[in-house]
Each structure stands twice: as C-alpha cells, then as structure tokens.
Amino acid sequence: MENPGRGKPYSIRTLADASGVNRNLVAKLANGTQDSADVNDAHSLSEALGVAVLVAFMPSSSPELDDSSPAERPTEKE
C-alpha cells in the first residue's frame, strides 16, 4: 500500500494508525476477507492513501460467475 507522504509503503499497523481505522478491519480489507467498509472508515482510509474513495473501493468491473449465474464461463479460446 503506497504511502503518499513518506516514500515507503504502509504496513497494516501504520495505515490503521494514519487513518484511525481499526487494525483488524484494515487487515481484512488488505487480505480480501472483507470487501467493504463503513462510509466513514472508507473515507478515512482513502484520505490516508491519497486516493478517491471510488478508487480504493471500486466494485469489480466484471462480476464473477457462480453456479447460479445463467451466463457461461469463457472458454480458453475466448
């Protein structure tokens, strides 16, 4: 995670400290076990990272297909 002011990447701890967001939430977001955050936490994290909220929490551009999806998965040729 880039740190816009210090020139070295954030760790989970330093990002949590800089943003004021709970360290466990930062860890879950970073490792992908959680994909959303409270609006205030999202804004705090985005501000600490120096990016817009929609950049930090942008939804996937293409939803993943699951077994309930009527669409077919692309083949290797596609």
Side-chain angles (χ1 to χ4, degrees), residues 25-74:
L25 175 59
V26 175
K28 287 178 182 178
L29 291 168
N31 70 28
T33 58
Q34 184 166 333
D35 60 1
S36 64
D38 168 272
V39 67
N40 293 325
D41 289 338
H43 279 279
S44 296
L45 287 166
S46 297
E47 187 175 319
L49 291 168
V51 298
V53 173
L54 288 177
V55 172
F57 291 91
M58 183 180 355
S60 173
S61 61
S62 111
E64 290 189 27
L65 299 175
D66 60 20
D67 293 335
S68 66
S69 175
E72 293 183 24
R73 297 184 188 279

